[in-house]
Amino acid sequence: MFQLTETPIDPRALCDAVRDPAAGGFASFEGWVRNHHQGRDVASLEYEAFPTLAEKEGNRILEKICAEHDIVAARCQHRTGHLQIGEIAIAIAVSAAHRDAAFDACRAIIDQIKSTVPIWKKEHYTDGTSIWVKCHACSEHQH
């Protein structure tokens, strides 16, 4: 259900993976690499993860939220490696019997993944500097 990938994410494939005759509602989310953050011009992003732990925690989150929101199916992919502006960093697809459950579950999934899955983001700025974002242990290694 949760997968790390170094290759570009295909949102249509995620949609197709959650399609089910029992589902009447579908919600999705795509997180794109943007060209700015906190007033700085971003050139690109780099994601690193602890794959075994990240996939275990990501799957735990999806299973928990699917059960809590009565979800038919959910899938999530998160990129690792170097991403350019406009690329999809994360995509989530959720199907449910009703739309409210799909919307609620989609938001819960992204919120929990961002807060607990061991994936680290490094921002590369147009001025040639870079920094690990929201990684207190990484702050001493900024370039």
Side-chain angles (χ1 to χ4, degrees):
M1 292 186 350
F2 178 89
Q3 179 185 30
L4 295 174
T5 181
E6 292 184 4
T7 60
I9 294 170
D10 178 0
R12 189 62 172 162
L14 284 180
C15 173
D16 291 344
V18 301
R19 192 175 300 277
D20 188 290
F26 169 79
S28 66
F29 173 80
E30 294 178 15
W32 303 333
V33 178
R34 66 178 179 266
N35 67 358
H36 64 92
H37 183 246
Q38 296 182 338
R40 296 193 67 186
D41 292 332
V42 174
S44 63
L45 296 181
E46 187 175 341
Y47 286 97
E48 289 186 10
F50 183 149
T52 305
L53 187 55
E55 289 187 348
K56 180 178 178 181
E57 178 64 8
N59 280 309
R60 184 196 67 77
I61 289 167
L62 266 66
E63 288 170 11
K64 177 179 175 271
I65 290 171
C66 284
E68 290 174 354
H69 293 273
D70 196 24
I71 298 304
V72 173
R75 297 288 184 278
C76 177
Q77 287 187 332
H78 198 298
R79 287 284 304 273
T80 57
H82 204 102
L83 282 71
Q84 300 302 315
I85 303 302
E87 287 191 88
I88 299 172
I90 186 170
I92 300 166
V94 178
S95 63
H98 304 284
R99 68 180 175 269
D100 285 345
F103 283 127
D104 292 345
C106 196
R107 180 167 196 110
I109 290 168
I110 188 61
D111 289 347
Q112 287 191 28
I113 285 173
K114 287 185 67 76
S115 67
T116 64
V117 176
I119 298 171
W120 303 279
K121 177 172 72 172
K122 187 175 193 178
E123 291 184 343
H124 297 276
Y125 302 106
T126 58
D127 66 7
T129 62
S130 60
I131 188 172
W132 290 99
V133 179
K134 294 186 181 178
C135 176
H136 301 294
C138 302
S139 62
E140 62 196 49
H141 301 292
Q142 297 174 12
H143 302 340

